[in-house]
C-alpha cells in the first residue's frame, strides 16, 4: 500500500510551520513509520537545521530534478531514527528551480517505499505553495491564535478546497497561551475553530523549550517532559487514526484550592 503525502502549510510566515514539520515527522518515525520530510522552501533552507542534519547535506531536491544524483542519494538519514529521512532544499537557487510536476513525481516515487511523505511548504501563496501542494492528497494548515495568521489560514483553506488532489485538510493551532486566553487577550481554540470551520488535529502550547530544541537541532518531541513535545506526539497519533483527546491547556485550579472551595461552599 502506498504511503500518504501530507503538505504542511500556513500562508503566513513565522507561525512555526517548519518546526511543526520536523516534530510531526520525528514523532511519526518514533511510532515505527518510515517517513521522508521534503523541504520545498528553496533559497531559505531551514528544516535541516531543526533536525541537526545541516552538516550532512550533500545533494538537494534541485540536484535530483536536474539529474545530478538519484533520489535515494539525496535522502539524508536522521542521526537518531533510521526511519526518518530528509530531502533538503537548495540554498543557492530560487523557487523556480523545481516545478509542480517534478515535485509530484518525487512524491510519487517516495510514497512507494515510505508510510508518510511530509512536504514542508514555503510561506505565501505563490509558485512555492503551488509546487508543494502538487504531490499531496492531505494538508495540515498551521496557524497561531492571531487575527492576521487566522486570516491567512482562511485564504490557504480556500485554495486547498479548490484543488481536486487535496482530499482532506486539518488545522494545527500553534503557540497557544492559556493565560492570555483567560484574560481575553488571545483567541481561544474554539474561536479559531468557529472562524475557520475546520477540524483541529492539534493544539500546541507556547513552549520556550522549542527555541532551545531548535538551536540544538533536536525536535522537542524527543523531550518526554515537554508539554509541546507531548502535543506533537498526540498529533502523530491522530494522523495515524488513533483517537487521542486534545491537550487541555486551560489554567487549572489546584487540588488544594478545590478542597478549600469545597469547604468554603458551606460557609456564608
Amino acid at each position: 500500500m502506498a504511503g500518504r503525502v501530507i503538505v504542511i502549510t500556513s500562508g503566513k510566515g513565522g507561525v512555526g510551520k517548519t518546526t511543526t514539520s520536523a516534530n510531526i515527522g520525528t514523532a511519526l518515525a518514533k511510532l515505527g513509520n518510515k517517513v521522508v520530510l521534503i523541504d520545498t522552501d528553496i533559497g531559505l533552507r531551514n528544516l535541516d537545521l531543526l533536525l541537526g542534519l545541516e552538516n550532512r547535506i550533500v545533494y538537494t531536491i534541485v540536484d535530483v530534478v536536474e539529474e545530478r544524483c538519484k533520489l535515494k542519494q539525496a535522502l539524508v538519514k536522521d542521526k537518531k531514527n533510521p526511519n526518518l529521512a530528509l530531502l533538503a532544499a537548495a540554498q543557492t537557487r530560487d523557487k523556480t528551480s523545481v516545478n509542480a510536476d517534478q515535485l509530484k513525481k518525487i512524491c510519487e516515487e517516495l510514497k512507494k517505499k515510505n508510510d508518510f511523505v511530509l512536504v514542508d511548504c514555503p510561506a505565501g501563496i505563490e509558485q512555492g505553495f503551488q509546487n508543494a501542494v502538487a504531490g499531496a492528497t492531505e494538508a495540515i494548515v498551521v496557524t497561531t491564535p492571531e487575527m492576521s495568521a487566522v486570516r491567512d489560514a482562511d485564504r490557504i483553506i480556500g485554495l486547498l478546497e479548490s484543488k481536486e488532489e487535496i482530499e482532506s485538510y486539518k488545522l494545527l493551532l500553534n503557540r497557544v497561551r492559556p493565560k492570555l486566553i483567560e484574560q481575553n487577550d488571545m483567541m481561544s481554540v474554539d474561536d479559531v475553530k468557529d472562524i475557520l470551520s475546520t477540524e483541529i488535529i492539534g493544539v500546541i502550547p507556547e513552549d520556550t523549550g522549542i527555541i532551545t530544541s531548535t538551536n540544538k537541532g533536536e525536535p522537542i518531541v524527543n523531550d518526554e517532559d515537554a508539554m509541546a513535545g507531548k502535543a506533537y506526539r498526540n498529533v502523530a497519533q491522530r494522523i495515524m487514526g488513533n483517537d487521542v483527546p486534545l491537550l487541555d491547556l486551560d489554567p487549572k485550579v489546584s487540588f488544594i484550592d478545590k478542597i478549600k472551595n469545597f469547604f468554603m461552599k458551606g460557609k456564608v
Side-chain angles (χ1 to χ4, degrees):
M1 189 175 155
R4 292 159 62 188
V5 183
I6 306 172
V7 63
I8 297 174
T9 181
S10 67
K12 185 177 172 64
V15 296
K17 179 172 35 59
T18 300
T19 301
T20 295
S21 300
N23 279 286
I24 292 177
T26 303
L28 285 167
K30 281 166 78 82
L31 290 167
N33 299 288
K34 284 197 77 179
V35 182
V36 174
L37 285 163
I38 305 179
D39 189 346
T40 62
D41 202 354
I42 296 167
L44 294 169
R45 187 167 87 198
N46 279 319
L47 195 47
D48 55 323
L49 287 171
L50 270 65
L51 295 165
L53 297 174
E54 66 275 14
N55 295 326
R56 296 192 176 192
I57 308 300
V58 178
Y59 296 113
T60 70
I61 190 168
V62 174
D63 293 314
V64 175
V65 301
E66 294 182 353
E67 298 184 348
R68 278 191 291 276
C69 71
K70 291 198 160 55
L71 179 55
K72 190 177 177 183
Q73 288 175 280
L75 295 176
V76 181
K77 280 269 194 318
D78 186 60
K79 287 184 279 194
K80 290 189 174 177
N81 198 322
N83 283 337
L84 181 64
L86 168 69
L87 179 57
Q91 278 181 300
T92 55
R93 304 291 287 274
D94 63 29
K95 290 174 178 61
T96 60
S97 304
V98 179
N99 64 37
D101 288 339
Q102 288 166 331
L103 197 60
K104 190 173 183 179
K105 188 179 173 186
I106 285 170
C107 290
E108 290 293 328
E109 199 61 38
L110 288 172
K111 73 181 188 182
K112 290 176 189 173
K113 294 182 179 177
N114 294 280
D115 300 302
F116 291 96
V117 179
L118 301 184
V119 184
D120 182 27
C121 179
I125 56 171
E126 289 82 35
Q127 196 54 49
F129 167 78
Q130 303 296 342
N131 292 350
V133 173
T137 54
E138 300 172 57
I140 292 174
V141 180
V142 182
T143 189
T144 53
E146 302 158 271
M147 209 59 230
S148 60
V150 171
R151 186 168 67 176
D152 285 353
D154 191 40
R155 180 82 198 278
I156 286 291
I157 287 166
L159 292 172
L160 291 171
E161 284 179 341
S162 71
K163 295 198 173 293
E164 286 179 21
E165 307 85 8
I166 301 294
E167 295 164 9
S168 68
Y169 57 84
K170 287 177 182 158
L171 192 69
L172 184 138
L173 196 54
N174 198 19
R175 297 191 190 136
V176 174
R177 298 169 71 179
K179 284 187 177 174
L180 288 186
I181 293 170
E182 190 183 33
Q183 294 161 8
N184 286 325
D185 290 329
M186 179 177 267
M187 282 188 278
S188 70
V189 175
D190 285 340
D191 289 338
V192 177
K193 194 176 178 182
D194 288 346
I195 293 166
L196 297 175
S197 303
T198 303
E199 186 184 340
I200 291 181
I201 197 163
V203 176
I204 314 296
E206 178 79 77
D207 192 330
T208 52
I210 285 183
I211 298 167
T212 313
S213 73
T214 299
N215 291 337
K216 285 182 181 172
E218 183 75 46
I220 202 163
V221 285
N222 290 328
D223 182 348
E224 294 298 320
D225 299 322
M227 194 75 160
K230 184 179 181 185
Y232 277 124
R233 289 193 296 275
N234 286 352
V235 172
Q237 291 279 3
R238 288 184 208 106
I239 288 170
M240 291 177 66
N242 299 323
D243 189 13
V244 181
L246 292 172
L247 283 185
D248 187 358
L249 301 177
D250 290 333
K252 288 286 180 288
V253 178
S254 74
F255 184 65
I256 298 298
D257 286 337
K258 281 182 183 175
I259 293 172
K260 281 182 186 172
N261 290 342
F262 177 79
F263 285 109
M264 289 298 288
K265 275 179 187 173
K267 297 179 180 179
V268 179

